[in-house]
């Protein structure tokens, strides 16, 4: 995969000196042919700092001629990202100064491959082969590098489940899973109390013999839970550990279903409790249906926020259908979402959103043409590493209610006071996701797997401390737009 190392949350530590992997002469055809067919070469790289070996990072220095070069190094202010080869499969990833990392380098099929990575420590070598194969698409590469391995205790064979890096980040989001566990538990508890009180009312009209007989004959129907969030979600497994439920997962990929089944098995999760919803549907485009003709859902979990930082398309339509499929007392998760934002000055937002005049293009006036195709919202931002100056405090921009749609407004205005003089170039925004009125997930927190987004202004606005601006906000079909009025 690729990353901008200078913007990695938490930073990084270089464990070795910079070393040259290979040299390519694009003016020598025979050398290029030999490069793609040559055997792998082994490299031994000394460790200079103690730490954990997570990845090998690669960048390029392009020599235009003997005098001028371009570098994609993380230490250079460049538009390029760096290539990241995660190291996986070692029994121990810890290294100390004096150790040596051994790897093979080759360029078969014109793809740079870093493979057979091992660590050599004072004459002892832990050699666990892990071939980081190149894939034709970035999505396949991310999946291959972020692999989850598990084994079936019953079949005693190894199964491999390929996950996207965003899915791995979600699995590592402890707060996300804890909040859902508490929220699901509260709903199940409320149903349990309702069933108990109903049973007591029924048996209270009978004599003692009939009362005891009724107690023995009462069977508790499972509560039906549907998780239609995208990607690899373990929420159905979490829900199944909290009570008598029938949890349905909407994962599509077969290896995802196999992995969830094995995870359930490893956690003593009754096999009949977890089911895959799409296998019950005749039309996979109509995911939101009753669990059975005579049953309704107790909980429906919707994916409201994309990892990119935008609201999912058609989320209100899905919520409207979901409300019709809920048992009395049932809940949609999340209950509602609040959108927060602030005014910032960020030159980087401008530079990465539109061509800024003729200076960067050496006098060629291409900005008016290229900028016609610019998008008004930047996505996949990480506010913890984005260079910016806050010019206002964060304010609530809008509320989107999934359970009570009559509370929603498609347009509103918000007054914002400037706390620092500067130039407003953008409005980053994020969400507080309310599973209920008390349990909230903040998509801007450092532990969040979600990224943030930002509206980039067409023209920066000069502001003074104490000045008040009006933000005119429009929300239509999951899209948000903001006009700033002075």
């Amino acid at each position: 995969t690729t990353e901008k190392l200078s913007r990695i949350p938490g930073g990084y530590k270089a464990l070795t000196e910079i070393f040259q992997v290979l040299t390519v002469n694009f003016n020598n055809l025979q050398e290029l042919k030999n490069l793609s067919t040559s055997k792998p070469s082994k490299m031994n790289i000394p460790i200079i700092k103690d730490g954990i070996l997570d990845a090998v990072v690669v960048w390029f220095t392009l020599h235009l001629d003997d005098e001028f070069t371009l570098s994609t190094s993380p230490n250079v202010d460049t538009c390029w990202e760096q290539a990241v080869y995660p190291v996986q499969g070692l029994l121990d990833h810890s290294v100390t100064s004096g150790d040596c990392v051994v790897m093979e380098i080759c360029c078969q099929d014109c793809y740079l491959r870093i493979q057979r990575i091992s660590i050599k420590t004072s004459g002892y070598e832990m050699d666990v082969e892990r071939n980081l194969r190149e894939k034709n698409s970035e999505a396949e590469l991310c999946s291959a590098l972020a692999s989850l391995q598990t084994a079936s205790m019953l079949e005693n064979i190894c199964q491999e489940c390929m996950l996207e890096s965003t899915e791995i980040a979600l699995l590592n989001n402890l707060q996300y899973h804890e909040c859902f566990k508490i929220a699901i538990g509260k709903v199940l508890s409320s149903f349990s109390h309702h069933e108990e009180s109903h049973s007591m009312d029924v048996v209270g009209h009978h004599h003692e013999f009939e009362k005891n007989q009724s107690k023995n004959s009462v069977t508790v129907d499972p509560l039906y839970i549907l998780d239609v969030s995208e990607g690899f979600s373990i929420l159905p497994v979490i829900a199944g550990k909290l009570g008598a439920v029938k949890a349905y997962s909407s994962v599509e990929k077969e290896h995802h279903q196999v992995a969830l089944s094995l995870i359930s098995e490893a956690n003593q999760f009754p096999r009949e409790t977890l089911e895959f919803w799409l296998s019950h549907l005749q039309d996979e485009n109509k995911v939101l249906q009753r669990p059975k003709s005579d049953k309704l859902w107790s909980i429906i979990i919707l994916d409201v926020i994309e990892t990119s930082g935008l609201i999912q398309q058609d989320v209100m339509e899905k919520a409207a259908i979901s409300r019709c499929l809920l048992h009395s007392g049932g809940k949609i998760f999340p209950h509602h979402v609040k959108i927060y934002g602030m005014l910032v000055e960020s030159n980087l937002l401008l530079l990465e959103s539109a061509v800024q005049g003729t200076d960067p293009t050496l006098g060629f006036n291409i900005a008016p043409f290229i900028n016609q195709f610019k998008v008004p919202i930047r996505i996949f931002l990480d506010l913890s590493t984005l260079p910016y100056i806050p010019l206002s405090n964060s304010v609530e921009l809008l509320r989107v209610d999934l359970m009570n749609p009559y509370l929603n407004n498609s347009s509103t205005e918000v007054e914002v006071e400037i706390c620092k003089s500067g130039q407003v170039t953008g409005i980053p925004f994020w969400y507080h996701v309310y599973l209920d009125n008390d349990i909230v997930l903040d998509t801007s927190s450092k532990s969040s797997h979600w990224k943030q987004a930002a509206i980039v202004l067409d023209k920066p606005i000069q502001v003074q401390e104490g000045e008040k601006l009006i933000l005119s906000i429009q929300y239509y079909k999951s899209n948000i737009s903001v006009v700033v009025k002075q």
Side-chain angles (χ1 to χ4, degrees), residues 355-368:
V355 179
Q356 304 298 312
T358 58
D359 288 346
T361 53
L362 305 181
F364 291 99
N365 190 26
I366 70 170

Side-chain angles (χ1 to χ4, degrees), residues 150-170:
T150 183
S152 170
M153 293 181 291
L154 295 179
E155 299 176 351
N156 198 28
I157 55 175
C158 181
Q159 302 279 349
E160 190 173 75
C161 175
M162 303 299 182
L163 298 180
E164 300 282 351
S165 57
T166 52
E167 293 171 317
I168 292 291
L170 171 59

Side-chain angles (χ1 to χ4, degrees), residues 186-206:
K186 288 170 69 174
V187 174
L188 298 184
S189 177
S190 68
F191 275 105
S192 176
H193 291 155
H194 175 76
E195 289 295 332
E196 287 177 5
S197 61
H198 178 70
S199 298
M200 290 178 67
D201 289 341
V202 170
V203 300
H205 294 87
H206 298 77

Side-chain angles (χ1 to χ4, degrees), residues 31 38-39 97 106 126-127 132 176 239 281 297 407 414 456:
E31 184 176 326
S38 60
K39 294 181 178 180
S97 180
C106 66
M126 298 180 300
D127 193 355
L132 304 179
Y176 176 89
L281 303 179
W297 300 105
L407 297 176
V414 177
V456 183

Side-chain angles (χ1 to χ4, degrees), residues 70 122 200-201 264 271 295 300:
L70 291 173
S122 62
M200 290 178 67
D201 289 341
S264 302
R271 182 180 292 271
K295 299 294 182 181
I300 297 179

Side-chain angles (χ1 to χ4, degrees), residues 195 198-199 213-223 244 295:
E195 289 295 332
H198 178 70
S199 298
Q213 191 176 43
S214 298
K215 283 184 177 179
N216 294 331
S217 62
V218 167
T219 58
V220 179
D221 285 336
L223 300 177
K295 299 294 182 181

Side-chain angles (χ1 to χ4, degrees), residues 222-238:
L223 300 177
Y224 291 87
I225 297 176
L226 176 61
D227 178 15
V228 292
S229 54
E230 294 184 359
F232 189 81
S233 171
I234 62 169
L235 294 181
V237 179
I238 293 174

